[in-house]
Amino acid sequence: MASAAEQLAANLNFSAFSKAEDLKKRIWFTLGALLVYRLGTYIPMPGIDPAALARAFQQQSTGILGLFNMFSGGAVGRMAIFALGIMPYISASIIIQLMTSVVPSLENLKKEGEQGRKVINQYTRYGTVLLATFQAYGIAAGLETQAGIVVDPGWFFRVSAVITLVGGTMFLMWLGEQITSRGIGNGISLIIFAGIVAHLPAAVANLLELGRTGALSTAVILLVIVVAVACIAFIVFVERAQRRLLIQYPKRQVGNRMFQGDTSHLPLKLNTAGVIPPIFASSLLLLPVTVANFADTSQLPDWATAIVASLGHGQPLYMLFYAGLIAFFAFFYTAVVFNPTDTADNLKKHGGFIPGIRPGERTAEYIDYVLTRITVIGAIYLVLICLLPEFLISAAGVPFYLGGTSLLIVVSVTMDTVAQIQGHLLAHQYEGLVKKAKLRGGRRGAR
């Protein structure tokens, strides 16, 4: 079976792609949905003065607003209807996942299969509406404090802003689900991917313009390119890396025949947490700076001003806390998304076991032992990927969009999408071979 799959994978080519009509429809649907998303990032929210907003945002672009602007494809800077982006949905999903580990009723729903998953998804949607409403009202109230941005401040503006921003987030959530079911790849990840990629050409052009004006030397630009290529290669290598645990199944007897026990592998990724740790770490660290920028700094005590200054983007204390938070969230989120006890129980239920390890509790302890150690490697990898570009950003003034988090998201989503395209092509070719085999069998039977 494995050799047949390898042969099919080796035969994937453009002719197979041209014959896969369903795959082409899925790709066109995905591109069309992403085009709708990009158009929405240019539709402004009513009641805003664009010129005043641009001036105010320029002062806050290095804080958490700059991070959210990157994930929203520039919608925050333009205060478009998609300004909240898909981040409320991601936050609600993570909160629900955390609650499934501590709330027994949600944990039971998680074990009920497809029906339980639908209920959990519905709770996630409710949580998205709640988070988006709070965030939208905070944005509306914050915009009113900035002179000249809001044309007609008051409750009418706040209510219209909340309805517009929450509606935009819910539409993006629906659009992401449609891409996942009718398109190619994970819809939510592709929406974030499209927002980042849309600004990469401008970031590269800005980098070259800095070189043309002499603000950056040619050596620094070449160093940035080399580091970016090295980071991409390193991300691809680690994201594909797995620690495979050998799983054996006992011999079984069917009638008078004895069947040899099968063997398989339990793959454990080095980076189980994905891109969540750097996103959360960046959000937490940039939040104090953004709040301080909106507040009146003259009224802050000296110690608070010193802390805010030391937590600025590129400062040593920022780097230290950034690395610590990435490592913490790498372990924390891995513990949330992967439960060794459930995995061990499933193996025991199906008769599988790890050679030399007793099924049940001992298997869970061994899986947790291995997972903890490979997560150490994954956390170090995330810290290196995210901090190395940060040093370049701090020392050479490289555009923010070339940071480690954006590279990590772009490369990871690209790999996942390509893998899904290859899977569809593989399934299409396999169906073609099955049809040919049945046709040949029918002809032989007719003879």
Side-chain angles (χ1 to χ4, degrees):
M1 187 71 180
S3 60
E6 291 173 0
Q7 183 178 0
L8 282 174
N11 292 332
L12 293 178
N13 49 40
F14 288 106
S15 64
F17 177 79
S18 63
K19 296 177 183 177
E21 295 296 332
D22 180 66
L23 176 60
K24 288 192 288 186
K25 291 179 181 178
R26 286 178 172 271
I27 292 177
W28 280 115
F29 179 85
T30 302
L31 293 176
L34 294 179
L35 178 61
V36 170
Y37 159 66
R38 288 301 302 156
L39 290 175
T41 61
Y42 286 90
I43 301 176
M45 192 174 67
I48 297 293
D49 183 358
L53 174 67
R55 290 193 298 269
F57 184 80
Q58 190 66 28
Q59 301 173 359
Q60 311 292 336
S61 59
T62 57
I64 194 171
L65 293 182
L67 181 70
F68 287 163
N69 191 51
M70 178 184 72
F71 292 144
S72 65
V76 174
R78 293 183 287 269
M79 202 49 63
I81 59 174
F82 292 159
L84 284 181
I86 204 67
M87 295 303 290
Y89 177 75
I90 295 175
S91 301
S93 300
I94 294 172
I95 292 172
I96 294 297
Q97 286 181 357
L98 292 175
M99 292 178 66
T100 55
S101 304
V102 296
V103 179
S105 58
L106 290 177
E107 188 175 1
N108 293 333
L109 280 175
K110 187 178 180 181
K111 296 178 180 179
E112 289 181 4
E114 183 65 22
Q115 189 63 32
R117 187 181 66 83
K118 289 181 179 179
V119 176
I120 291 177
N121 287 343
Q122 196 64 26
Y123 289 158
T124 303
R125 295 187 183 99
Y126 295 149
T128 302
V129 174
L130 188 62
L131 287 176
T133 301
F134 277 111
Q135 292 180 13
Y137 182 81
I139 289 176
L143 289 174
E144 287 185 340
T145 61
Q146 304 294 312
I149 294 181
V150 180
V151 177
D152 186 17
W155 276 105
F156 180 79
F157 168 75
R158 296 181 188 179
V159 172
S160 64
V162 169
I163 294 175
T164 301
L165 294 178
V166 174
T169 295
M170 299 309 295
F171 176 79
L172 285 183
M173 182 185 69
W174 174 83
L175 191 66
E177 292 175 350
Q178 295 302 309
I179 294 175
T180 302
S181 60
R182 301 173 59 185
I184 293 292
N186 184 292
I188 304 300
S189 299
L190 281 173
I191 288 175
I192 299 177
F193 168 86
I196 296 174
V197 169
H199 278 74
L200 281 179
V204 173
N206 187 21
L207 179 66
L208 297 177
E209 179 65 19
L210 291 176
R212 189 187 67 82
T213 58
L216 289 180
S217 64
T218 304
V220 172
I221 295 177
L222 292 177
L223 178 62
V224 169
I225 296 174
V226 170
V227 169
V229 172
C231 286
I232 292 173
F234 189 42
I235 291 171
V236 172
F237 176 78
V238 176
E239 291 297 327
R240 288 181 175 273
Q242 295 177 345
R243 170 70 164 88
R244 295 185 176 183
L245 301 181
L246 180 64
I247 305 296
Q248 286 189 341
Y249 294 90
K251 297 179 180 179
R252 55 192 177 92
Q253 184 173 357
V254 180
N256 294 326
R257 298 185 62 183
M258 179 67 71
F259 290 88
Q260 186 68 27
D262 296 328
T263 61
S264 63
H265 292 89
L266 175 64
L268 301 176
K269 290 187 63 176
L270 259 64
N271 179 29
T272 308
V275 300
I276 295 300
I279 292 176
F280 267 53
S282 300
S283 301
L284 285 179
L285 277 178
L286 293 174
L287 185 59
V289 179
T290 304
V291 173
N293 287 338
F294 274 116
D296 187 1
T297 55
S298 62
Q299 297 180 357
L300 294 176
D302 294 338
W303 61 267
T305 305
I307 291 176
V308 170
S310 60
L311 287 178
H313 202 273
Q315 297 298 320
L317 189 61
Y318 170 88
M319 300 290 191
L320 182 63
F321 275 102
Y322 190 35
L325 286 173
I326 288 175
F328 168 76
F329 281 118
F331 281 93
F332 182 76
Y333 195 71
T334 298
V336 170
V337 299
F338 190 94
N339 191 328
T341 302
D342 291 345
T343 304
D345 291 341
N346 290 332
L347 288 175
K348 186 178 180 180
K349 187 184 301 182
H350 293 89
F353 63 93
I354 299 175
I357 306 296
R358 186 176 301 172
E361 184 179 351
R362 295 290 297 173
T363 298
E365 292 176 356
Y366 179 74
I367 294 175
D368 183 66
Y369 172 85
V370 175
L371 186 65
T372 301
R373 276 146 186 78
I374 64 175
T375 303
V376 172
I377 302 175
I380 295 174
Y381 146 74
L382 287 175
V383 170
L384 290 177
I385 286 296
C386 293
L387 282 191
L388 187 58
E390 289 291 337
F391 284 120
L392 285 177
I393 292 172
S394 175
V398 179
F400 181 68
Y401 288 96
L402 294 179
T405 305
S406 56
L407 279 178
L408 184 62
I409 293 173
V410 169
V411 176
S412 299
V413 174
T414 301
M415 290 173 58
D416 179 63
T417 305
V418 170
Q420 290 205 26
I421 291 176
Q422 290 179 341
H424 280 284
L425 284 175
L426 189 65
H428 176 75
Q429 284 199 329
Y430 183 76
E431 290 175 359
L433 290 177
V434 170
K435 289 180 180 179
K436 289 181 180 179
K438 288 182 178 180
L439 184 60
R440 291 173 182 173
R443 290 175 179 175
R444 290 175 183 174
R447 291 176 183 174

